[in-house]
Amino acid sequence: MDFENGNVKLTVTGDTLCAYISGEIDHHSAKTIREAIDSALTSYSPDALILDVSEISFMDSSGLGLVLGRYTKASEAGISFSVTGVSERTKRLFDMAGLDRIIDYDNKEKKR
Amino acid sequence: MKKICENAMKAEFPSLSQNEALARALASSFLMQLNPTVSELADIKCAVSEAVTNCTVHAYRDTVGTVIMTMKSYSDRSVRIEIKDRGCGIEDISTAMQPLFTTDRQGERSGLGFTVMESFCDKIRVTSKPKKGTKVTLIKNLSKLYAST
């Protein structure tokens, strides 16, 4: 399954749902991304959810809410959750929010 | 030496969520003349985005009002940004500024807006009156190393 809508592209490979998030993530864009990911979680019931944030050019605390919200949903459903492609800038925000204590993420720029 | 205001701008726009990006673009354009570092520019964009989002999400919740954004740059390379609304106001500013505090649980707000503003700026001041509105003032001191000659 491939799905693309503005700031998010979704792919399902085996039991893994990967969401490639790109562009500017603020309160305005987070809503569409959140709805797309949640809809795919319901439709495909994957065993793992990966958020790839390597193509994000801007993120504020709305992006933190987006990540934390998906983490909570995945945890409640018993789905493994990770974030990949975290830039130094995004990592600064994540660390500020204490995400490093609850979410598995790397800060290596991932090449697609 | 007394600092002098060297440039200023004022913008007004509706509290529509798509104008969060507009506010960041305005801040970027104003700052580019000052040769900020990439990090300084990113910090200010993020702080401005948080302040404008607060207007959309909290001040004018379920309605659309006017957001007034002013920016001033000074001879000591400090930048002062004011984001003002005439929305619902904040009852208790110190509680609202606590990390993880939010009045919008359903919207998946992280409650870190003011924390981000405080972390990314050198100074922040919030004044508010319930039912009158809120003014957030952000001060950022730009690095002198990159000043144009």
Side-chain angles (χ1 to χ4, degrees):
Chain A
M1 186 280 292
D2 267 6
F3 169 86
E4 190 158 5
N5 183 4
N7 295 71
V8 65
K9 179 184 174 188
L10 301 169
T11 63
V12 176
T13 310
D15 293 325
T16 300
L17 169 65
C18 189
Y20 297 94
I21 304 171
S22 60
E24 301 203 340
I25 311 305
D26 58 13
H27 157 252
H28 179 70
S29 60
K31 183 172 181 283
T32 316
I33 299 166
R34 180 171 69 226
E35 288 170 354
I37 296 172
D38 289 356
S39 173
L41 282 172
T42 304
S43 300
Y44 296 96
S45 301
D47 289 336
L49 171 62
I50 301 170
L51 302 187
D52 185 321
V53 297
S54 58
E55 296 297 319
I56 285 177
S57 57
F58 171 84
M59 180 192 271
D60 63 15
S61 69
S62 299
L64 293 173
L66 174 75
V67 173
L68 274 168
R70 306 295 68 67
Y71 163 76
T72 304
K73 272 194 179 292
S75 298
E76 287 171 355
I79 299 168
S80 83
F81 179 84
S82 60
V83 183
T84 189
V86 180
S87 68
E88 283 303 316
R89 183 79 202 172
T90 304
K91 184 177 182 299
R92 191 175 164 203
L93 262 182
F94 281 11
D95 291 349
M96 182 190 299
L99 263 59
D100 53 325
R101 284 172 279 167
I102 55 170
I103 295 175
D104 176 28
Y105 59 81
D106 69 74
N107 66 336
K108 291 171 189 164
E109 304 287 337
K110 186 183 172 187
K111 291 198 168 91
R112 276 190 238 172
Chain B
M1 194 191 327
K2 190 183 174 188
K3 70 178 182 182
I4 299 162
C5 179
E6 293 185 329
N7 200 2
M9 63 143 264
K10 182 177 181 181
E12 290 190 16
F13 47 85
S15 60
L16 302 169
S17 60
Q18 58 263 45
N19 285 336
E20 293 152 14
L22 171 68
R24 294 196 298 272
L26 287 169
S28 291
S29 298
F30 184 85
L31 287 164
M32 287 313 286
Q33 309 164 43
L34 303 168
N35 290 334
T37 65
V38 172
S39 178
E40 288 166 346
L41 184 60
D43 286 353
I44 293 173
K45 279 174 66 179
C46 200
V48 165
S49 197
E50 299 293 353
V52 174
T53 300
N54 277 352
C55 299
T56 304
V57 175
H58 301 294
Y60 295 120
R61 185 181 303 195
D62 302 327
T63 60
V64 176
T66 301
V67 180
I68 302 146
M69 174 177 170
T70 57
M71 291 187 74
K72 288 181 181 174
S73 62
Y74 295 89
S75 50
D76 63 353
R77 287 184 59 73
S78 63
V79 179
R80 179 191 178 97
I81 305 159
E82 286 182 3
I83 310 283
K84 197 160 72 172
D85 66 68
R86 300 188 192 99
C88 66
I90 302 171
E91 295 266 352
D92 183 343
I93 293 172
S94 60
T95 300
M97 292 182 76
Q98 290 295 313
L100 306 178
F101 177 84
T102 181
T103 55
D104 182 33
R105 290 282 169 204
Q106 289 182 330
E108 280 193 1
R109 308 296 311 152
S110 66
L112 290 167
F114 279 122
T115 305
V116 169
M117 286 184 245
E118 284 179 318
S119 299
F120 290 173
C121 292
D122 292 295
K123 193 174 176 185
I124 169 176
R125 190 168 69 220
V126 182
T127 54
S128 186
K129 279 187 183 171
K131 297 180 184 172
K132 293 283 185 189
T134 301
K135 181 170 80 174
V136 174
T137 305
L138 307 166
I139 309 282
K140 181 79 171 175
N141 299 314
L142 300 182
S143 153
K144 289 181 172 54
L145 187 64
Y146 294 88
S148 55
T149 52

